[in-house]
Every structure is written in structure tokens, then in C-alpha cells.
Amino acid sequence: MTALVAGIGNLFFGDDAFGVEVARRLATDPPCAVTDFGIRALHLAYELCKPYELCVVADCVARGGEPGTLYVIEPDTAEADGVVADAHGMDLRVVFSAVRELGGVLPEMIVVGCEPASVDEGIGLSEHVARAIPGAAALIRDLVVQRTRKALP
């Protein structure tokens, strides 16, 4: 099985850089292809037009939990037809829509999200989110291993 880990987020907005930092951590000993996409939604869409069977996205996700809480989310990839890209942000609905518009087929998608403490302007993760990075990297590694093993005959 071919898998991609996509770190997304904006380094200039505090905890929004969570995915970028997770990708950086995993790049030292990657379980599969690992790329920091930052806020480049269309770059990720073009990459997903390649024949991946799994994509795990690391991202900052506000769901009302305690800062640093990790979530595993299986997004609805069908809900985003016709969404327009914004050159200054990353929206997975834009990615899903763009992949279809480009004639690609989306792989299985999983988001490993982290509850932020702050996404205000500023460089650097909050203490809670920084402490969640090792656990997120381990969780992603486990998800890739589990899902790729399932795919073996």
C-alpha cells in the first residue's frame, strides 16, 4: 500500500503549525512518504492525484477539547464539490474538490488533529500542543502500519 503523511498549517499562527511540526518529526524516520504542505492546498491536491491508497493529514483542529487533545477523524470527502481555493489558507474541502476536478481519485483519508490553545499571530507552538507532537507522530506511525497491514493479501 502506498501512503502519504501530509503536515498542514501556517507557521505564523501559533498552534496552526501543529501539522508542520508533526511532519518535521516524522521526516527523521518516515513510515512512508512525509511532506510538509504548509498552506499549499493545490500542491497537496496535485500530490493526491498520484496513486496513494492512504493519506494521513496532521492538522490543528478546534473541537472544543483541552489544548493538546489529539483526535482521529475520517473526513467526509464527498461534501466539498466546487469549493474554491484560497492562496492564503489550507482547507481540506478545497483539496478534495480539486483532486476530483483534476480527475484524481481520493485515497482513504484520515486526519490526526490537535486541539489548539491559540491560533493568534505568532511563531511557535503553545506548551500543550508542543507536548502533543511525539504522541501524534506515534499515533500516525501506528495508523499507517495498521492500515497498510490491512491492505496486504
Side-chain angles (χ1 to χ4, degrees):
M1 170 181 254
T2 56
L4 170 68
V5 172
I8 63 176
N10 190 327
L11 291 172
F12 299 109
F13 289 97
D15 290 337
D16 194 49
F18 168 78
V20 172
E21 293 300 328
V22 170
R24 187 174 292 159
R25 169 70 63 105
L26 286 170
T28 62
D29 184 23
C32 58
V34 176
T35 302
D36 165 14
F37 288 94
I39 59 170
R40 300 179 321 243
L42 291 179
H43 184 172
L44 176 55
Y46 278 108
E47 184 66 21
L48 288 175
C49 286
K50 295 178 182 177
Y52 291 107
E53 296 170 74
L54 171 67
C55 178
V56 180
V57 175
D59 194 11
C60 167
V61 177
R63 300 190 107 183
E66 291 294 316
T69 300
L70 295 176
Y71 307 107
V72 176
I73 304 162
E74 295 188 23
D76 181 359
T77 60
E79 69 178 37
D81 285 332
V83 179
V84 178
D86 172 6
H88 301 289
M90 170 66 83
D91 183 334
L92 285 178
R93 295 172 304 155
V94 169
V95 174
F96 302 155
S97 179
V99 169
R100 283 192 292 279
E101 291 292 322
L102 292 166
V105 176
L106 285 164
E108 176 184 6
M109 298 292 299
I110 301 171
V111 175
V112 171
C114 183
E115 186 74 39
S118 172
V119 290
D120 293 334
E121 285 186 36
I123 297 175
L125 299 175
S126 68
E127 183 179 327
H128 295 290
V129 172
R131 283 196 310 252
I133 299 291
L139 176 59
I140 289 170
R141 186 176 299 286
D142 289 347
L143 285 168
V144 169
V145 168
Q146 289 169 6
R147 301 293 171 119
T148 56
R149 282 189 182 149
K150 273 190 199 176
L152 296 175

